[in-house]
Coordinates of all heavy atoms in Angstrom, one line a residue:
M1 N -12.8 -3.9 -15.7 CA -12.0 -4.9 -15.2 C -10.9 -4.3 -14.3 O -9.9 -4.9 -14.3 CB -11.5 -5.8 -16.3 CG -12.5 -6.5 -17.1 SD -12.3 -8.2 -17.4 CE -10.5 -8.4 -17.6
S2 N -11.2 -3.3 -13.6 CA -10.2 -2.6 -12.8 C -9.7 -3.6 -11.7 O -10.5 -4.3 -11.0 CB -10.8 -1.4 -12.1 OG -9.9 -0.9 -11.2
E3 N -8.4 -3.8 -11.6 CA -7.7 -4.6 -10.7 C -8.1 -6.1 -10.8 O -7.8 -6.9 -9.9 CB -8.0 -4.1 -9.3 CG -7.5 -2.7 -9.1 CD -7.2 -2.4 -7.6 OE1 -7.1 -3.2 -6.8 OE2 -7.1 -1.2 -7.3
A4 N -8.6 -6.5 -11.9 CA -8.9 -7.9 -12.2 C -7.6 -8.6 -12.6 O -6.8 -8.0 -13.3 CB -9.9 -8.1 -13.3
E5 N -7.4 -9.8 -12.1 CA -6.1 -10.5 -12.4 C -6.2 -11.3 -13.7 O -7.3 -11.8 -14.0 CB -5.7 -11.4 -11.2 CG -5.3 -10.7 -10.0 CD -4.1 -9.8 -10.1 OE1 -3.2 -10.1 -11.0 OE2 -4.0 -8.8 -9.5
N6 N -5.1 -11.5 -14.3 CA -5.0 -12.3 -15.5 C -5.2 -13.8 -15.0 O -4.4 -14.3 -14.2 CB -3.7 -12.1 -16.1 CG -3.5 -12.9 -17.4 OD1 -4.2 -13.9 -17.7 ND2 -2.4 -12.6 -18.1
P7 N -6.2 -14.5 -15.6 CA -6.4 -15.9 -15.1 C -5.2 -16.8 -15.3 O -5.0 -17.7 -14.5 CB -7.6 -16.4 -15.9 CG -8.1 -15.2 -16.7 CD -7.1 -14.1 -16.6
T8 N -4.4 -16.6 -16.3 CA -3.3 -17.5 -16.6 C -2.2 -17.2 -15.5 O -1.4 -18.1 -15.2 CB -2.7 -17.3 -18.0 OG1 -2.3 -15.9 -18.1 CG2 -3.7 -17.7 -19.0
R9 N -2.1 -16.0 -15.0 CA -1.1 -15.7 -14.0 C -1.5 -16.4 -12.7 O -0.6 -16.9 -12.0 CB -1.0 -14.2 -13.8 CG 0.1 -13.8 -12.8 CD 0.3 -12.3 -12.6 NE 0.5 -11.6 -13.8 CZ -0.4 -10.7 -14.3 NH1 -1.5 -10.4 -13.6 NH2 -0.2 -10.1 -15.4
S10 N -2.7 -16.3 -12.3 CA -3.1 -16.9 -11.0 C -3.0 -18.4 -10.9 O -2.9 -18.9 -9.8 CB -4.5 -16.4 -10.6 OG -5.4 -16.9 -11.5
S11 N -3.0 -19.0 -12.1 CA -2.9 -20.5 -12.1 C -1.5 -21.0 -12.1 O -1.2 -22.1 -12.0 CB -3.7 -21.1 -13.3 OG -3.1 -20.7 -14.5
A12 N -0.6 -20.0 -12.2 CA 0.9 -20.4 -12.3 C 1.3 -20.9 -10.9 O 0.8 -20.5 -9.9 CB 1.7 -19.2 -12.6
P13 N 2.2 -21.9 -10.9 CA 2.6 -22.5 -9.6 C 3.3 -21.6 -8.7 O 3.2 -21.6 -7.5 CB 3.5 -23.7 -10.0 CG 3.9 -23.4 -11.4 CD 2.9 -22.5 -12.0
Q14 N 4.1 -20.6 -9.2 CA 4.8 -19.7 -8.4 C 4.9 -18.4 -9.1 O 5.1 -18.3 -10.3 CB 6.2 -20.3 -8.1 CG 7.0 -19.4 -7.2 CD 8.3 -20.1 -6.8 OE1 8.5 -21.3 -6.9 NE2 9.2 -19.3 -6.3
V15 N 4.9 -17.3 -8.3 CA 5.0 -16.0 -8.9 C 6.4 -15.8 -9.3 O 7.4 -16.0 -8.5 CB 4.5 -14.9 -7.9 CG1 4.7 -13.5 -8.4 CG2 3.1 -15.1 -7.5
T16 N 6.7 -15.2 -10.5 CA 8.0 -15.0 -11.0 C 8.3 -13.5 -11.1 O 7.3 -12.6 -11.0 CB 8.2 -15.6 -12.3 OG1 7.4 -15.0 -13.3 CG2 7.9 -17.1 -12.3
I17 N 9.5 -13.1 -11.3 CA 9.9 -11.7 -11.6 C 9.2 -11.2 -12.8 O 8.7 -10.1 -12.9 CB 11.4 -11.6 -11.7 CG1 12.1 -11.8 -10.4 CG2 11.8 -10.3 -12.3 CD1 13.6 -11.9 -10.5
E18 N 9.0 -12.1 -13.8 CA 8.3 -11.7 -15.0 C 6.9 -11.3 -14.7 O 6.3 -10.4 -15.4 CB 8.4 -12.8 -16.1 CG 9.8 -12.9 -16.8 CD 10.2 -11.5 -17.3 OE1 9.4 -10.9 -18.0 OE2 11.4 -11.1 -17.1
D19 N 6.2 -12.0 -13.8 CA 4.9 -11.6 -13.4 C 4.8 -10.2 -12.9 O 3.9 -9.5 -13.2 CB 4.3 -12.6 -12.4 CG 4.1 -14.0 -12.9 OD1 3.8 -14.1 -14.1 OD2 4.3 -15.0 -12.1
V20 N 5.8 -9.9 -12.0 CA 5.8 -8.5 -11.5 C 6.1 -7.5 -12.6 O 5.4 -6.5 -12.7 CB 6.9 -8.4 -10.4 CG1 7.0 -7.0 -9.9 CG2 6.5 -9.4 -9.2
R21 N 7.0 -7.8 -13.4 CA 7.4 -6.9 -14.5 C 6.2 -6.7 -15.5 O 6.0 -5.6 -16.0 CB 8.6 -7.4 -15.3 CG 9.9 -7.3 -14.5 CD 11.1 -7.7 -15.3 NE 12.3 -7.6 -14.5 CZ 13.4 -8.3 -14.7 NH1 13.4 -9.2 -15.6 NH2 14.4 -8.1 -14.0
E22 N 5.5 -7.8 -15.7 CA 4.3 -7.7 -16.6 C 3.3 -6.7 -16.0 O 2.6 -6.0 -16.8 CB 3.7 -9.1 -16.7 CG 2.5 -9.1 -17.7 CD 2.0 -10.5 -17.9 OE1 2.8 -11.5 -18.0 OE2 0.7 -10.7 -17.9
L23 N 3.1 -6.7 -14.7 CA 2.1 -5.8 -14.1 C 2.6 -4.3 -14.2 O 1.9 -3.4 -14.4 CB 1.8 -6.2 -12.7 CG 0.8 -7.3 -12.4 CD1 0.8 -7.6 -11.0 CD2 -0.5 -6.9 -13.0
C24 N 3.9 -4.2 -13.9 CA 4.5 -2.8 -13.9 C 4.5 -2.2 -15.3 O 4.0 -1.0 -15.4 CB 5.9 -2.8 -13.3 SG 6.0 -3.3 -11.6
G25 N 5.0 -2.9 -16.2 CA 5.0 -2.4 -17.6 C 5.3 -0.9 -17.7 O 6.2 -0.4 -17.0
A26 N 4.6 -0.3 -18.6 CA 4.8 1.2 -18.7 C 3.7 1.9 -17.9 O 2.7 2.3 -18.4 CB 4.6 1.5 -20.2
S27 N 3.9 1.9 -16.6 CA 2.9 2.5 -15.7 C 2.9 4.0 -15.8 O 3.9 4.6 -16.0 CB 3.2 2.0 -14.2 OG 4.6 2.1 -14.0
T28 N 1.7 4.6 -15.6 CA 1.5 6.0 -15.6 C 1.0 6.5 -14.2 O 0.5 5.7 -13.5 CB 0.5 6.4 -16.7 OG1 -0.8 5.8 -16.3 CG2 0.9 5.9 -18.0
P29 N 1.2 7.8 -13.9 CA 0.7 8.3 -12.6 C -0.8 8.0 -12.4 O -1.2 7.7 -11.3 CB 1.0 9.8 -12.7 CG 2.1 9.9 -13.7 CD 1.9 8.8 -14.7
H30 N -1.6 8.0 -13.5 CA -3.0 7.8 -13.3 C -3.4 6.5 -12.8 O -4.3 6.3 -12.0 CB -3.7 8.0 -14.7 CG -5.1 8.0 -14.7 ND1 -5.9 9.0 -14.1 CD2 -6.0 7.0 -15.0 CE1 -7.2 8.7 -14.2 NE2 -7.3 7.5 -14.8
F31 N -2.6 5.4 -13.2 CA -2.9 4.0 -12.8 C -1.9 3.5 -11.8 O -2.0 2.3 -11.4 CB -3.0 3.1 -14.0 CG -4.1 3.5 -14.9 CD1 -3.8 4.0 -16.1 CD2 -5.4 3.2 -14.6 CE1 -4.9 4.4 -17.0 CE2 -6.4 3.5 -15.4 CZ -6.2 4.1 -16.6
A32 N -0.9 4.2 -11.3 CA 0.1 3.7 -10.5 C -0.4 3.1 -9.2 O 0.1 2.0 -8.8 CB 1.1 4.8 -10.2
L33 N -1.3 3.7 -8.5 CA -1.8 3.1 -7.2 C -2.6 1.9 -7.4 O -2.5 1.0 -6.6 CB -2.5 4.2 -6.5 CG -1.7 5.5 -6.1 CD1 -2.5 6.5 -5.4 CD2 -0.4 5.1 -5.4
Q34 N -3.3 1.8 -8.5 CA -4.0 0.5 -8.8 C -3.1 -0.6 -9.1 O -3.2 -1.7 -8.6 CB -5.0 0.7 -10.0 CG -6.1 1.6 -9.7 CD -6.9 1.9 -11.0 OE1 -6.4 1.9 -12.1 NE2 -8.2 2.0 -10.8
I35 N -2.0 -0.3 -9.9 CA -1.0 -1.3 -10.2 C -0.3 -1.7 -8.9 O 0.0 -2.9 -8.7 CB 0.0 -0.8 -11.2 CG1 -0.8 -0.5 -12.5 CG2 1.1 -1.8 -11.5 CD1 0.1 0.2 -13.6
R36 N 0.0 -0.7 -8.0 CA 0.7 -1.0 -6.8 C -0.1 -2.0 -6.0 O 0.4 -3.0 -5.4 CB 0.9 0.2 -6.0 CG 1.6 0.0 -4.6 CD 1.4 1.1 -3.7 NE 0.0 1.3 -3.4 CZ -0.5 2.3 -2.7 NH1 0.3 3.2 -2.2 NH2 -1.8 2.3 -2.4
N37 N -1.5 -1.8 -5.9 CA -2.3 -2.7 -5.2 C -2.3 -4.1 -5.8 O -2.4 -5.1 -5.0 CB -3.8 -2.2 -5.1 CG -3.9 -0.9 -4.3 OD1 -3.0 -0.6 -3.5 ND2 -4.9 -0.2 -4.5
R38 N -2.3 -4.2 -7.1 CA -2.3 -5.5 -7.7 C -1.0 -6.3 -7.4 O -1.0 -7.5 -7.2 CB -2.4 -5.4 -9.2 CG -3.8 -4.9 -9.6 CD -4.0 -4.7 -11.0 NE -4.0 -6.0 -11.7 CZ -4.0 -6.2 -13.0 NH1 -4.0 -5.2 -13.8 NH2 -4.0 -7.4 -13.5
I39 N 0.1 -5.6 -7.4 CA 1.4 -6.2 -7.1 C 1.4 -6.6 -5.6 O 1.9 -7.7 -5.3 CB 2.6 -5.2 -7.3 CG1 2.7 -5.0 -8.8 CG2 3.9 -5.7 -6.7 CD1 3.7 -3.9 -9.2
A40 N 0.9 -5.8 -4.7 CA 0.8 -6.2 -3.3 C 0.0 -7.5 -3.1 O 0.5 -8.4 -2.4 CB 0.1 -5.1 -2.5
R41 N -1.1 -7.7 -3.8 CA -1.8 -8.9 -3.8 C -1.0 -10.1 -4.4 O -1.0 -11.2 -3.9 CB -3.2 -8.8 -4.4 CG -4.2 -8.1 -3.6 CD -5.6 -8.3 -4.1 NE -5.8 -8.1 -5.5 CZ -6.1 -7.0 -6.1 NH1 -6.2 -5.9 -5.4 NH2 -6.2 -6.9 -7.4
L42 N -0.3 -9.8 -5.4 CA 0.4 -10.9 -6.1 C 1.6 -11.4 -5.3 O 1.8 -12.6 -5.2 CB 1.0 -10.3 -7.4 CG 1.8 -11.3 -8.3 CD1 0.8 -12.3 -8.9 CD2 2.5 -10.5 -9.5
I43 N 2.2 -10.5 -4.5 CA 3.4 -11.0 -3.7 C 3.1 -11.3 -2.3 O 4.0 -11.7 -1.5 CB 4.6 -10.0 -3.8 CG1 4.2 -8.6 -3.2 CG2 5.0 -9.8 -5.3 CD1 5.3 -7.7 -3.0
A44 N 1.9 -11.1 -1.9 CA 1.5 -11.2 -0.4 C 2.0 -12.5 0.2 O 2.4 -12.5 1.4 CB 0.0 -11.0 -0.3
N45 N 1.9 -13.6 -0.5 CA 2.2 -14.9 0.1 C 3.6 -15.4 -0.2 O 3.9 -16.6 0.2 CB 1.1 -16.0 -0.3 CG -0.2 -15.6 0.2 OD1 -0.4 -15.1 1.3 ND2 -1.2 -15.9 -0.6
L46 N 4.4 -14.6 -0.8 CA 5.8 -15.0 -1.1 C 6.7 -14.9 0.1 O 6.5 -14.0 0.9 CB 6.3 -14.2 -2.3 CG 5.6 -14.3 -3.6 CD1 6.3 -13.4 -4.6 CD2 5.7 -15.8 -4.1
P47 N 7.7 -15.7 0.2 CA 8.7 -15.5 1.3 C 9.4 -14.2 1.2 O 9.6 -13.7 0.1 CB 9.6 -16.7 1.2 CG 9.3 -17.4 -0.1 CD 8.0 -16.9 -0.6
A48 N 9.9 -13.7 2.3 CA 10.6 -12.4 2.3 C 11.8 -12.4 1.4 O 12.2 -11.3 0.9 CB 11.0 -12.1 3.7
D49 N 12.5 -13.5 1.2 CA 13.7 -13.5 0.3 C 13.5 -13.9 -1.1 O 14.4 -14.0 -1.9 CB 14.7 -14.5 0.9 CG 14.3 -15.9 1.0 OD1 13.1 -16.1 0.8 OD2 15.1 -16.8 1.1
S50 N 12.2 -14.0 -1.5 CA 11.8 -14.3 -2.9 C 12.2 -13.1 -3.8 O 11.9 -12.0 -3.5 CB 10.3 -14.5 -3.0 OG 9.9 -14.5 -4.4
P51 N 12.9 -13.4 -4.9 CA 13.3 -12.4 -5.9 C 12.1 -11.6 -6.4 O 12.1 -10.4 -6.6 CB 14.0 -13.1 -7.0 CG 14.5 -14.4 -6.4 CD 13.5 -14.7 -5.3
A52 N 11.0 -12.3 -6.6 CA 9.8 -11.7 -7.1 C 9.2 -10.7 -6.0 O 8.7 -9.6 -6.4 CB 8.7 -12.7 -7.5
R53 N 9.3 -11.1 -4.8 CA 8.8 -10.3 -3.7 C 9.7 -9.0 -3.6 O 9.2 -7.9 -3.4 CB 8.7 -11.0 -2.4 CG 8.1 -10.1 -1.3 CD 8.1 -10.8 0.1 NE 7.3 -10.0 0.9 CZ 6.1 -10.2 1.3 NH1 5.5 -11.3 0.9 NH2 5.5 -9.4 2.2
L54 N 11.0 -9.2 -3.6 CA 11.9 -8.1 -3.5 C 11.7 -7.1 -4.6 O 11.6 -5.8 -4.4 CB 13.3 -8.6 -3.5 CG 13.7 -9.4 -2.3 CD1 15.1 -10.0 -2.4 CD2 13.6 -8.7 -1.0
L55 N 11.5 -7.6 -5.8 CA 11.3 -6.6 -7.0 C 9.9 -6.0 -6.8 O 9.8 -4.8 -7.0 CB 11.3 -7.4 -8.3 CG 11.0 -6.6 -9.5 CD1 12.0 -5.4 -9.7 CD2 11.0 -7.4 -10.8
G56 N 8.9 -6.8 -6.4 CA 7.6 -6.2 -6.2 C 7.6 -5.1 -5.1 O 6.9 -4.1 -5.3
E57 N 8.3 -5.3 -4.1 CA 8.4 -4.2 -3.0 C 9.1 -3.0 -3.6 O 8.6 -1.8 -3.3 CB 9.1 -4.7 -1.8 CG 8.3 -5.8 -1.0 CD 9.0 -6.5 0.1 OE1 10.3 -6.3 0.1 OE2 8.4 -7.2 0.8
Q58 N 10.1 -3.1 -4.4 CA 10.8 -2.0 -5.0 C 9.8 -1.2 -5.9 O 9.7 0.0 -5.9 CB 12.0 -2.4 -5.8 CG 13.1 -2.9 -4.9 CD 14.3 -3.5 -5.7 OE1 14.2 -3.6 -7.0 NE2 15.4 -3.8 -5.1
E59 N 9.1 -2.0 -6.7 CA 8.2 -1.4 -7.7 C 7.0 -0.8 -7.0 O 6.5 0.3 -7.4 CB 7.7 -2.5 -8.7 CG 8.7 -2.9 -9.7 CD 9.1 -1.8 -10.6 OE1 8.3 -1.0 -11.0 OE2 10.3 -1.7 -10.9
M60 N 6.5 -1.3 -5.9 CA 5.5 -0.7 -5.1 C 5.8 0.7 -4.6 O 5.0 1.6 -4.7 CB 5.0 -1.6 -3.9 CG 4.3 -2.9 -4.4 SD 3.9 -4.0 -3.1 CE 3.1 -3.0 -1.9
E61 N 7.1 0.8 -4.1 CA 7.5 2.1 -3.7 C 7.6 3.1 -4.9 O 7.2 4.2 -4.7 CB 8.9 2.0 -3.0 CG 9.4 3.3 -2.5 CD 8.5 4.1 -1.5 OE1 7.7 3.4 -0.8 OE2 8.6 5.3 -1.5
R62 N 8.2 2.6 -6.0 CA 8.3 3.5 -7.2 C 6.9 3.9 -7.6 O 6.7 5.1 -7.9 CB 9.0 2.7 -8.3 CG 9.2 3.6 -9.6 CD 9.8 2.7 -10.7 NE 8.9 1.7 -11.2 CZ 7.9 2.0 -12.1 NH1 7.7 3.2 -12.5 NH2 7.1 1.0 -12.5
L63 N 5.9 3.0 -7.6 CA 4.6 3.3 -8.0 C 3.9 4.2 -7.1 O 3.1 5.1 -7.5 CB 3.8 2.0 -8.2 CG 4.2 1.2 -9.4 CD1 3.7 -0.2 -9.3 CD2 3.8 1.8 -10.7
R64 N 4.2 4.1 -5.8 CA 3.6 5.0 -4.8 C 4.1 6.4 -5.1 O 3.3 7.4 -5.1 CB 3.9 4.6 -3.4 CG 3.2 5.4 -2.3 CD 3.9 5.4 -1.0 NE 5.3 6.0 -1.0 CZ 5.5 7.4 -1.1 NH1 4.5 8.2 -1.2 NH2 6.7 7.8 -1.2
T65 N 5.4 6.6 -5.3 CA 5.9 7.9 -5.6 C 5.4 8.4 -6.9 O 5.0 9.6 -6.9 CB 7.5 7.8 -5.7 OG1 8.0 7.3 -4.4 CG2 8.1 9.1 -6.0
L66 N 5.3 7.6 -7.9 CA 4.7 8.0 -9.2 C 3.3 8.5 -9.0 O 2.9 9.5 -9.6 CB 4.9 6.9 -10.2 CG 4.3 7.2 -11.6 CD1 5.1 8.3 -12.3 CD2 4.4 5.9 -12.4
G67 N 2.5 7.7 -8.3 CA 1.1 8.0 -8.1 C 0.9 9.3 -7.3 O -0.1 10.0 -7.5
M68 N 1.7 9.5 -6.3 CA 1.5 10.7 -5.4 C 2.2 11.9 -6.0 O 1.6 13.0 -5.9 CB 2.1 10.4 -4.0 CG 1.4 9.3 -3.3 SD -0.3 9.6 -3.0 CE -0.7 8.4 -1.8
D69 N 3.3 11.8 -6.6 CA 4.1 13.0 -7.1 C 4.0 13.2 -8.6 O 4.4 14.2 -9.0 CB 5.6 12.8 -6.7 CG 5.8 12.7 -5.2 OD1 4.9 13.2 -4.4 OD2 6.8 12.2 -4.8
G70 N 3.5 12.2 -9.3 CA 3.4 12.4 -10.7 C 4.8 12.1 -11.4 O 5.7 11.5 -10.8
E71 N 4.9 12.6 -12.6 CA 6.2 12.4 -13.2 C 6.7 13.8 -13.8 O 5.9 14.7 -14.0 CB 6.1 11.4 -14.4 CG 5.2 11.9 -15.5 CD 5.1 10.8 -16.6 OE1 5.9 10.0 -16.7 OE2 4.0 10.8 -17.3
Q72 N 8.0 13.9 -13.9 CA 8.5 15.2 -14.4 C 9.0 14.9 -15.8 O 9.7 14.0 -16.1 CB 9.7 15.6 -13.5 CG 10.4 16.9 -14.0 CD 9.5 18.1 -14.1 OE1 8.7 18.3 -13.2 NE2 9.5 18.8 -15.1
R73 N 8.5 15.8 -16.7 CA 9.0 15.7 -18.1 C 9.8 16.9 -18.5 O 9.4 18.0 -18.0 CB 7.8 15.5 -19.1 CG 7.2 14.2 -18.9 CD 6.1 14.0 -19.9 NE 5.4 12.7 -19.6 CZ 4.9 12.0 -20.5 NH1 4.8 12.4 -21.8 NH2 4.3 10.8 -20.2
G74 N 10.7 16.8 -19.3 CA 11.5 18.0 -19.7 C 12.5 18.4 -18.7 O 12.9 17.6 -17.8
H75 N 13.0 19.6 -18.8 CA 14.0 20.1 -17.9 C 13.7 21.6 -17.6 O 12.9 22.2 -18.2 CB 15.4 19.9 -18.5 CG 15.6 20.6 -19.8 ND1 15.1 20.2 -21.0 CD2 16.2 21.8 -20.1 CE1 15.4 21.0 -21.9 NE2 16.1 22.0 -21.4
R76 N 14.4 22.1 -16.7 CA 14.3 23.5 -16.3 C 14.8 24.4 -17.4 O 15.6 24.0 -18.3 CB 15.1 23.8 -15.0 CG 14.6 23.0 -13.8 CD 15.1 23.7 -12.5 NE 14.7 22.9 -11.4 CZ 13.5 23.0 -10.9 NH1 12.6 23.9 -11.4 NH2 13.1 22.3 -9.8
A77 N 14.4 25.6 -17.4 CA 14.8 26.6 -18.4 C 16.3 26.8 -18.4 O 16.9 26.8 -17.3 CB 14.1 27.9 -18.2
E78 N 16.8 27.0 -19.5 CA 18.3 27.3 -19.6 C 18.5 28.7 -19.2 O 17.6 29.5 -19.2 CB 18.7 26.9 -21.0 CG 18.6 25.4 -21.3 CD 18.7 25.2 -22.8 OE1 19.3 26.0 -23.5 OE2 18.4 24.1 -23.2
A79 N 19.7 29.0 -18.9 CA 20.1 30.4 -18.6 C 19.6 31.4 -19.6 O 19.8 31.2 -20.8 CB 21.6 30.5 -18.4
G80 N 18.9 32.4 -19.1 CA 18.3 33.4 -20.0 C 16.9 33.2 -20.6 O 16.3 34.0 -21.2
L81 N 16.4 32.0 -20.3 CA 15.1 31.6 -20.8 C 14.1 31.6 -19.6 O 14.5 31.1 -18.5 CB 15.0 30.3 -21.5 CG 15.8 30.2 -22.8 CD1 15.8 28.8 -23.4 CD2 15.3 31.2 -23.8
T82 N 12.9 32.0 -19.7 CA 11.9 31.9 -18.7 C 11.3 30.6 -18.7 O 10.8 30.1 -19.7 CB 10.8 33.0 -18.9 OG1 11.4 34.3 -19.0 CG2 9.8 33.0 -17.8
P83 N 11.2 29.9 -17.5 CA 10.5 28.6 -17.5 C 9.0 28.7 -17.7 O 8.4 29.7 -17.4 CB 10.9 28.0 -16.1 CG 11.1 29.2 -15.3 CD 11.7 30.3 -16.2
L84 N 8.4 27.6 -18.2 CA 7.0 27.5 -18.3 C 6.4 27.6 -16.9 O 7.0 27.2 -15.9 CB 6.6 26.2 -19.0 CG 7.1 26.0 -20.4 CD1 6.7 24.6 -20.9 CD2 6.5 27.0 -21.3
A85 N 5.2 28.1 -16.8 CA 4.5 28.3 -15.5 C 4.3 26.9 -14.8 O 4.5 26.8 -13.6 CB 3.1 28.9 -15.8
S86 N 4.0 25.9 -15.6 CA 3.8 24.6 -14.9 C 5.1 24.0 -14.3 O 5.1 23.4 -13.3 CB 3.3 23.6 -15.9 OG 4.2 23.4 -17.0
V87 N 6.2 24.3 -14.9 CA 7.5 23.9 -14.4 C 8.0 24.8 -13.2 O 8.5 24.4 -12.2 CB 8.6 23.9 -15.5 CG1 10.0 23.5 -14.9 CG2 8.2 22.9 -16.6
N88 N 7.6 26.1 -13.3 CA 8.0 27.1 -12.3 C 7.2 26.9 -11.0 O 7.7 27.3 -10.0 CB 7.8 28.5 -12.9 CG 8.7 29.5 -12.3 OD1 9.7 29.2 -11.8 ND2 8.3 30.7 -12.3
D89 N 6.0 26.2 -11.1 CA 5.2 26.0 -9.9 C 5.7 24.9 -9.0 O 5.1 24.6 -8.0 CB 3.8 25.8 -10.3 CG 3.1 27.1 -10.9 OD1 3.7 28.2 -10.6 OD2 2.1 27.0 -11.5
R90 N 6.6 24.1 -9.5 CA 7.1 23.0 -8.7 C 7.7 23.4 -7.4 O 8.3 24.5 -7.3 CB 8.1 22.2 -9.5 CG 7.5 21.5 -10.7 CD 8.4 20.5 -11.4 NE 9.8 20.7 -11.0 CZ 10.8 20.4 -11.8 NH1 10.6 19.8 -13.0 NH2 12.1 20.6 -11.4
P91 N 7.5 22.6 -6.4 CA 8.0 23.0 -5.0 C 9.5 23.2 -5.0 O 10.0 24.0 -4.2 CB 7.6 21.9 -4.1 CG 6.7 21.0 -4.9 CD 6.8 21.4 -6.4
D92 N 10.3 22.5 -5.8 CA 11.7 22.6 -5.7 C 12.2 23.6 -6.7 O 13.4 23.6 -6.9 CB 12.4 21.2 -5.9 CG 12.0 20.6 -7.3 OD1 11.0 20.9 -7.8 OD2 12.9 19.8 -7.8
A93 N 11.4 24.4 -7.3 CA 11.8 25.4 -8.3 C 12.5 26.6 -7.6 O 12.3 26.9 -6.5 CB 10.6 25.9 -9.1

């Protein structure tokens, strides 16, 4: 059911902020771009000043970044400690 919409959401008279938040939820890098596409379809017909559209556009950018760059967990090594190879390979290391 990839990218299938919730039938109860599509029958709602107007898209709300809660609809956008429901789609975003706890998004992961693996599914971020699929969720971004679903949000784009959800807000496509909303007016430019709609709160749901504004939130949707913000979330779409966040999801794009999450999907392309992944997520960073943990922190850099403390003084005197060698960082893990996976952390050391980051471009900004």
